[in-house]
Amino acid sequence: QVQLVESGGGLVQPGGSLRLSCVASGFTSTFSNYVLSWYRQAAGKERELVAHIGFTNDATNYEDFVKGRFTIFRDNAKNTVYLQMDKLAPEDTAVYYCNAAFFAGGAPAWGQGTQVIVSS
């Protein structure tokens, strides 16, 4: 059974940093065959894509609102994807979700989410 477990969320002051982690298990194929993404959902808003990463750390893409502040990277040996978040702002407050999609298609897997609160 595919499982994604996020961690690393919490309360941070504006301008601060957090690193989210997402550990994957139960995949039928090797972890490196999955495109990985971070999404977020703020209260009362729809879930939105934050960043995604291809099979290697050279293939990344970011939404404009996090460019230059967030970094997505993966460690295939640890079945883990990370989201380094710097220069956090109150509008980054949301539940952050990890997503894994097999390169050949099929329903993606989701984690349970980790809460990030940016507040003074």
Side-chain angles (χ1 to χ4, degrees):
Q1 182 178 356
V2 174
Q3 189 174 21
L4 299 174
V5 180
E6 300 101 331
S7 62
L11 173 64
V12 63
Q13 292 187 342
S17 298
L18 282 175
R19 177 177 291 185
L20 307 183
S21 301
C22 172
V23 180
S25 62
F27 286 159
T28 56
S29 182
T30 58
F31 181 70
S32 58
N33 286 335
Y34 290 80
V35 175
L36 307 169
S37 305
W38 285 97
Y39 285 75
R40 70 185 187 186
Q41 187 167 18
K45 295 186 177 181
E46 293 187 353
R47 191 172 298 188
E48 60 182 359
L49 176 67
V50 174
H52 69 257
I53 184 167
F55 308 132
T56 69
N57 286 320
D58 295 331
T60 59
N61 192 62
Y62 299 91
E63 294 303 297
D64 286 344
F65 52 81
V66 301
K67 279 183 180 177
R69 300 189 300 124
F70 291 10
T71 304
I72 186 172
F73 59 101
R74 65 192 295 165
D75 185 338
N76 290 334
K78 295 183 178 180
N79 285 8
T80 303
V81 60
Y82 303 92
L83 186 68
Q84 176 67 39
M85 305 188 295
D86 300 315
K87 302 177 183 178
L88 284 161
E91 51 266 35
D92 295 316
T93 294
V95 178
Y96 284 72
Y97 297 91
C98 175
N99 171 290
F102 185 55
F103 79 100
W110 289 91
Q112 83 290 346
T114 184
Q115 176 75 58
V116 172
I117 300 174
V118 184
S119 176
S120 55

